[in-house]
Amino acid sequence: MSTLLDKIWDAHTVHRSGGGTDLLYVDFHLLHEGSSPQAFEGLRLAGRRVRRPDLTLATEDHVVPTRGLLGRTGVAATMVDALRRNCEEFGVALHRSGTAGQGIVHVIGPELGISQPGRIILCGDSHTSTHGAFGALAFGIGTSQVEHVLATQTAAFAKPKAMAVTLHGELPAGVSAKDVALAMIGRIGTGGAQGHVIEYRGAAVEAMSMESRLTLCNMSIEAGAKAGMIAPDAVTAEYLRGRPYAPAGRAWDEAVASWAALRSDDEAEFDRRVDIDVTTLSPFVSWGTNPSQVVELSGVVPDPSADPDPALRDAAERALTYMDLAPGTPMREIPVDVVFLGSCTNGRIEDLRAAAGLLDGHRIASGVRMLVVPGSAAVKKAAESEGLDEVFRSAGAEWRTAGCSLCVAMNDDSLAAGERCASTSNRNFEGRQGRGGRTHLVSPTTAAATALTGRLTAPSDLGALR
Amino acid sequence: MKPIRTITGRGVAIRRTSVDTDQIIAARHCLRTTRTGFAEHLFATWRAEPGFPVGDPAHDGATILFAGADFGSGSSREHAVWALQDYGFTVVVASRFGDIFADNAVRSGLVPAVVEDSAVGAMMDAVDADPATEVTVDLVALTIRAGGVEAPVRMSADTRQRFLDGHDGIDVTLRHEAAIRAFELAHVPIVKAP
């Protein structure tokens, strides 16, 4: 009896060392400008080539500006130029900024049909777990491992444990995959899934769109998981049909038929199981400086002195000081300066549609700055064809080009010290969005509702306010 | 990589849990194409706080860093490992590490020593009480000793051997070139870009 993890792992094992690590074949390797320059330099120094350029694809996302053009000088230009030279020299396909195929690496992989069931997909970025939504085993690696994959198309790892997270019931209206992810991380902690691959299962997962599944798997790393995955089904196949890298004709039929086997056997044993009843969930928001420090938006800032665990208590006290929040403050009373809609977590078309649905015909609160950053050039184009850009602009938000933007703040976008942001991104770490910046993680609809009122606001609060 | 069998040095303790890689080095300081030059940005924001132990002259020259659970969670940036090494650390001791950080550390030659929480706490007490406390990490015996406390270090056989041999990961893998080639021929067709 095998789990989905077992099946994909075994099918890719090239060699077993017997000393704790297995050598795995990598089906696809995604690159970006942030984590690859030292890897290519390592290849050059050792006189090595890229073993499988055909299984490698690069894009520009982390440092590129999302307003205006990339400068010719400066650190961002240096990083992008290095990637362009490296891709040219080593024969790797590159989706340059300003072209139709560019975007955040975890948004374009699915769009291009690269993210397919049963594959092992690696990338030098921790949110590679996103691609697991297709029933792939996908996880982030560091630069040395990027060099290793470029040189050998393999990677050596100890096999992680398997963890089943089952989402029971139907999601209430206004509650999204992002809220589920935050609720889960709040329950199990930032190290709760350490050493495990999470397989998400259950009725609520089956009912989710591909975009929502991508959001859920994306956040797996914030619970410390190696990866997140969801067994492929009709939703998966329907999303992939006709995508540029998806098989076509008879090969498509064969691929879809083979995906049916990609599920955990009924009697498969998981090392750990977590069950979540989603019917009682409401929108979640983070109050602290790691993604487990969350509360329902209807709740209040918790009192650290109530925490029996001294380490968690210390972390909470530190977080409240950094966030400048007092225990007992209702979350709904917390004002924000900035709202960020975008990132590999929530920068897909469904996310933009959901937010635009609330903003349509309204203006964001005065004094609030809202950035809407599509996850890819293709998302931008689709949104514009639906008129969403006009909805955002009319509401007073900035409509940007594709990139990581304010999620990682290693580009032109960052918070000023003391600024408070409702963000659809994935990390509320100290300084993540800019030194001294304060982040509250939220869903796209909570972000939109918050932009309208200028205070943390659940979408369902708007009805009463309007 | 240089082989590592035992490391003896002084320690310094960061008594915080979930020290994510954004705290070790902020993304805005990762905009470099080299593996060096990151030391000044190590814990840059925290080092500006009074009383932060790294950078405290009492702990100058410490090579072994003790930290709370889930050290190195978050971003995959290997710059976090390079910054720690650049600053002079050769070992990080914690009860649990972020997966990607630990893998990056091994590949760059920084020892991620997994040690049970209560032993980490006792050793932190020892180096805080006397910064001159000698700490020894022995990868042959897989033990750590400091201030009269001794505890096992958890590490896979492959990882331990890699430190002991100092081999480059790519060279180790390329010993299996025939197996990789056979796997490719059987399972991995050439992909034509659309």
Side-chain angles (χ1 to χ4, degrees), chain A residues 11-15 17 19-21 23 25 34 37-39 48 51-52 54-55 63 75 78-79 82 124-126 140-145 147-148 151-154 156-157 190-192 194-195 221 224-226 244-245 289-290 311 315 318 408-410 427 429-432 434-435, chain B residues 15-18 20-23 26-35 38 44-46 48-49 70 73-79 82 96-100 103-104 107-108 156-159 162 168-171 173-174 176-177 179-181 183-184 187-194:
Chain A
H12 290 80
T13 301
V14 173
H15 174 78
S17 77
T21 49
L23 189 64
Y25 200 87
Q38 297 87 351
R48 292 178 176 130
R51 184 184 182 97
R52 293 295 299 263
D54 61 318
L55 306 181
V63 310
V75 284
T78 306
M79 302 289 285
D125 186 278
S126 59
I141 54 179
T143 298
S144 294
Q145 194 69 265
E147 182 182 341
H148 187 284
T152 69
Q153 202 57 34
T154 64
F157 282 100
T190 54
Q194 200 268 338
I221 180 75
K226 184 95 185 154
Y245 277 82
T289 54
N290 75 52
R318 232 197 108 68
V408 71
M410 61 192 299
R427 289 184 174 139
F429 298 153
E430 287 181 36
R432 169 78 178 186
R435 190 166 180 165
Chain B
R15 292 175 181 268
R16 294 181 190 182
T17 55
S18 296
D20 60 78
T21 53
D22 274 76
Q23 309 316 313
R28 61 185 175 277
H29 298 310
C30 295
L31 293 158
R32 296 176 72 96
T33 58
T34 60
R35 288 175 188 251
F38 298 104
T45 305
W46 288 357
E49 295 174 8
D70 298 321
S73 55
S75 157
S76 62
R77 64 190 67 159
E78 197 160 313
H79 311 70
W82 302 333
R96 202 163 58 182
F97 287 95
D99 268 337
I100 309 175
D103 187 61
N104 291 343
R107 282 169 194 283
S108 283
S156 78
D158 282 350
T159 299
R162 175 178 298 222
D168 170 78
I170 296 175
D171 286 338
T173 292
L174 289 176
H176 306 293
E177 170 61 26
I180 299 171
R181 191 80 208 119
F183 187 96
E184 254 172 354
H187 302 291
V188 194
I190 299 288
V191 171
K192 283 206 190 88

Side-chain angles (χ1 to χ4, degrees), chain A residues 310-330:
Chain A
L312 292 179
R313 191 164 62 231
D314 287 353
E317 280 167 356
R318 232 197 108 68
L320 288 187
T321 303
Y322 181 85
M323 294 296 289
D324 191 27
L325 292 173
T329 308

Side-chain angles (χ1 to χ4, degrees), chain A residues 28-32 55 57-58 105-106 109 114 121-124 131:
Chain A
F28 222 97
H29 186 198
L30 298 166
L31 300 170
H32 63 84
L55 306 181
L57 183 129
V105 65
H106 311 309
I114 287 169
I121 299 166
L122 302 186
C123 172
H131 309 267

Side-chain angles (χ1 to χ4, degrees), chain A residues 338-361:
Chain A
V338 179
V339 173
F340 172 57
L341 174 59
S343 85
C344 61
T345 309
N346 281 129
R348 283 171 285 272
I349 188 70
E350 180 183 278
D351 303 311
L352 301 195
R353 280 184 197 135
L358 292 177
L359 294 175
D360 197 0

